[in-house]
Amino acid sequence: MRLVIRNARRLDVENMAFVEDGPVVSEDGKIVGIGEDAAADVEIDAKGSFLLPGFIDAHVHFRLATLDFARLQRWSEVEFGIVMARLARETLLRGFTTVRDLGGDVEGLMRAIRAGMAEGPRIIRAGRMLTQTGGHGDAESGPRPVPTCACEMRHTAFGIVADGPDAVRKAARHNLRDGSDFIKIHVSGGVASPADPLESVQYTAAEIMAACEEARHRQTYVAAHAYSPESIAMAVENGVHTIEHGNMIDAGAAAAVARHGAVMVPTLSTYEAMDLIGRQMGFPAANLAKNSKVLDAGLRSLEIARDAGVTLGWGTDLIGESQSRQRREFAIRAEVETPADILRSMYVVNPRLCGLDGKIGTLTPGAAADMILTTIDPLENIAALGEDDAIEHVIHRGAVVGGGA
């Protein structure tokens, strides 16, 4: 099918400016021409609206399909599938045509999208998260028997509990064999987990190096959930490529991230959402207290990282019911960043993290025909992209899928 979009102001990502250079033509899911007219199977008159590449969220969790974590423990795969498919469709309708899933089994969802049984974005996935016993990704509730050996591993649909370099290596190899595009580990405490303080350091240098070596052997990388300065520095010094969140980063840890050429992916909208929706859903006081700490530190972490020269990606980490707030991230980051810098995080950095540099995040011939039409000029008012009626059309793989959700 050939799609032709006329009279649009196209975002030139390289120069971060809008240009009016004629029709944008796509065929078979790819952009095939700019500025040259062509016969169309489907035609859109943009009437001067702004044409952007499809949005890219570099930190999502489709497996974490509800903020009611007790329900997550009880759901069958059928229940997961129904809710995950709905979340994926809503994500696409919000304009996110590519996402990077940071942990949990999403193989079935990806297969359903590829087969046309469900609508959703292109998914780049980590697969099951790797965590130590009692770490942020140790999601099993209730009493558990004492392991019979140090190498014993446990797993759920969310993660693998692996202690020691050999176990971490085996878990990483398992994920890579099963198709993970990269590896996700936890090196500090988290907000949603009940037993680990935010400041706790998780995994050792040897365990981190084992995961990173396996990733490197497969020409990919390791992403690490990390908040505290010590855990952030330990991660990048032992081979981790992306720091997810990083809210409690200090100048020394930021310098280490920059020195090692690593990337930080802030996810500020999730803490705001957790504060609002988590209270409504009965989040325990201890978890709300941890959330307040990272919420308060979020914007300052961006300033510290930016001043140190850290490369920043764009993510949200929203869970279940809060995923509807996905575009809110634009407005939060606009409090301390310029619109051009925010768009570079999404359209320049995120494609590299997805291994799709030049294929997504750009409106040039040969790239995927993933596009957004909006009446909002994001270089003037990027926060307005979060408004309910901000999106006129979403185009994914050359097909119009709807307006904003």
Side-chain angles (χ1 to χ4, degrees), residues 151-173:
C151 63
E152 188 171 314
M153 297 158 63
R154 295 180 284 111
H155 77 277
T156 64
F158 309 103
I160 302 173
V161 178
D163 295 298
D166 289 341
V168 170
R169 187 181 303 278
K170 188 173 184 63
R173 287 176 176 174

Side-chain angles (χ1 to χ4, degrees), residues 138-205:
D138 189 350
E140 289 182 288
S141 61
R144 292 179 292 273
V146 176
T148 56
C149 72
C151 63
E152 188 171 314
M153 297 158 63
R154 295 180 284 111
H155 77 277
T156 64
F158 309 103
I160 302 173
V161 178
D163 295 298
D166 289 341
V168 170
R169 187 181 303 278
K170 188 173 184 63
R173 287 176 176 174
H174 175 87
N175 275 0
L176 292 166
R177 182 199 67 178
D178 280 5
S180 291
D181 296 296
F182 61 101
I183 297 296
K184 162 80 175 297
I185 65 175
H186 296 91
V187 299
S188 79
V191 170
S193 44
D196 53 340
L198 285 172
E199 297 82 359
S200 65
V201 176
Q202 300 176 11
Y203 274 153
T204 62

